[in-house]
Amino acid sequence: VIWKNADLFYAPVHGNGGSPVVNGDKLFFSVDGSTEAYVIALSTETGEVVWKFERDVEAGAKFSFSTPLVIRVDGVEQLISTGSSVVHSLNVETGQVNWLVRHAGYSVIPKPVFGNGLVYVSTGYDSSSLLAIDPSGEGDVTDSHVKWSASRQIPHTPSVALVEDAIFMISDKGIASCLNALTGEVHWQQRVGGNYSASPIVNDGKVFFLSEEGEGIVVAAEKNFKKIATNALQERTLASYGVIDDALLIRTQTHLYRIEDRSTGSR
């Protein structure tokens, strides 16, 4: 053991849910529990608290489960963290607020995504929206820097996948969508079946979805819907795909699968 910090106690709901993020000499994670809501940075060398930011949460339910994201805007790094009722951009060195956007959601799970000069965030329960935020502002930019929002079949649990100017996503109830990432216009929406907790991944012009029923569905990463393949593991799975080189890792209820094309000589 190099270090351990056992001082960060809070009252969680279903556990923390999000993942920690390492950037430089700091480890960031969001703590959005039943009574407390904050974002914290620890030293990767010692585990000591570098800074702690207390969220101003307006939602009745404070709990959320989102993983933060570090982005770079005009040469300056920002930590994007989505919580109940609010999205924060924080200074990675000090934890001070760069900007914030208010929303009506809670129990936020999806991770923010950055591209095309915009931050894309889902707003959680009860009725999720997808917001496209210009991250160049200061202070409360709710009314000035949300460039578009969408509310049809937005996932509560899976994160979205960004491919250039297209967003691919899957709702918890199995509706796949492709949106124009610059305007929010819907290119297509298609029921593919199943229920979804896992986030999609993209590779080689394909989008890979994985249902809770253990069915992998592959569609073309294009602005017209095209299903390429369906692969059934016939075993419950909630975890997103893992990737090692050219291999997919799939964790089901009782197994860990590694799937790859061995004809290429890789193992």
Side-chain angles (χ1 to χ4, degrees):
V1 176
I2 298 174
W3 58 258
K4 178 171 65 175
N5 188 325
D7 298 327
L8 303 175
F9 293 103
Y10 70 103
V13 177
H14 311 307
N16 182 274
S19 298
V21 173
V22 173
N23 183 66
D25 60 355
K26 297 178 185 64
L27 182 148
F28 306 103
F29 56 95
S30 302
V31 173
D32 294 285
S34 60
T35 58
E36 295 180 86
Y38 58 87
V39 185
I40 199 160
L42 303 183
S43 166
T44 57
E45 294 295 324
T46 66
E48 296 177 349
V49 175
V50 178
W51 54 256
K52 179 180 178 181
F53 170 74
E54 300 279 354
R55 287 197 202 276
D56 178 18
V57 175
E58 296 179 350
K62 290 189 175 184
F63 58 87
S64 280
F65 312 96
S66 184
T67 297
L69 174 71
V70 177
I71 68 173
R72 184 178 290 272
V73 179
D74 296 330
V76 179
E77 289 182 328
Q78 302 182 22
L79 180 71
I80 309 299
S81 178
T82 308
S84 296
S85 78
V86 64
V87 184
H88 283 113
S89 165
L90 304 176
N91 183 304
V92 297
E93 298 298 329
T94 66
Q96 294 180 321
V97 176
N98 298 314
W99 55 262
L100 64 89
V101 167
R102 300 285 182 186
H103 62 81
Y106 70 96
S107 190
V108 181
I109 301 170
K111 181 179 179 177
V113 174
F114 179 59
N116 304 303
L118 296 170
V119 175
Y120 303 95
V121 297
S122 300
T123 61
Y125 289 78
D126 289 309
S127 179
S128 187
S129 295
L130 182 65
L131 309 180
I133 305 169
D134 174 359
S136 65
E138 296 181 2
D140 189 333
V141 297
T142 305
D143 297 328
S144 59
H145 282 62
V146 177
K147 297 306 178 183
W148 59 260
S149 65
S151 58
R152 291 181 54 199
Q153 304 299 335
I154 307 302
H156 291 99
T157 306
S159 300
V160 305
L162 180 65
V163 183
E164 297 179 349
D165 63 348
I167 290 173
F168 296 90
M169 61 186 183
I170 186 81
S171 73
D172 295 45
K173 298 301 183 182
I175 306 295
S177 304
C178 175
L179 273 58
N180 184 318
L182 304 180
T183 66
E185 175 190 1
V186 176
H187 292 306
W188 55 258
Q189 286 189 329
Q190 185 76 31
R191 180 178 294 278
V192 297
N195 299 284
Y196 289 80
S197 289
S199 299
I201 62 171
V202 179
N203 183 63
D204 191 30
K206 304 176 185 69
V207 185
F208 297 79
F209 299 113
L210 183 61
S211 76
E212 293 182 1
E213 293 76 20
E215 185 170 67
I217 296 176
V218 186
V219 305
E222 299 174 0
K223 296 174 184 178
N224 293 300
F225 179 76
K226 178 183 177 183
K227 183 186 286 188
I228 297 173
T230 300
N231 305 286
L233 294 172
Q234 298 179 336
E235 193 172 353
R236 182 171 171 81
T237 179
L238 304 180
S240 300
Y241 290 105
V243 178
I244 298 177
D245 298 325
D246 294 325
L248 286 178
L249 297 179
I250 302 174
R251 187 182 68 196
T252 67
Q253 188 168 0
T254 60
H255 292 80
L256 175 64
Y257 294 88
R258 177 169 176 160
I259 300 174
E260 62 187 307
D261 181 4
R262 290 195 170 189
S263 65
T264 62
S266 61
R267 292 291 184 268

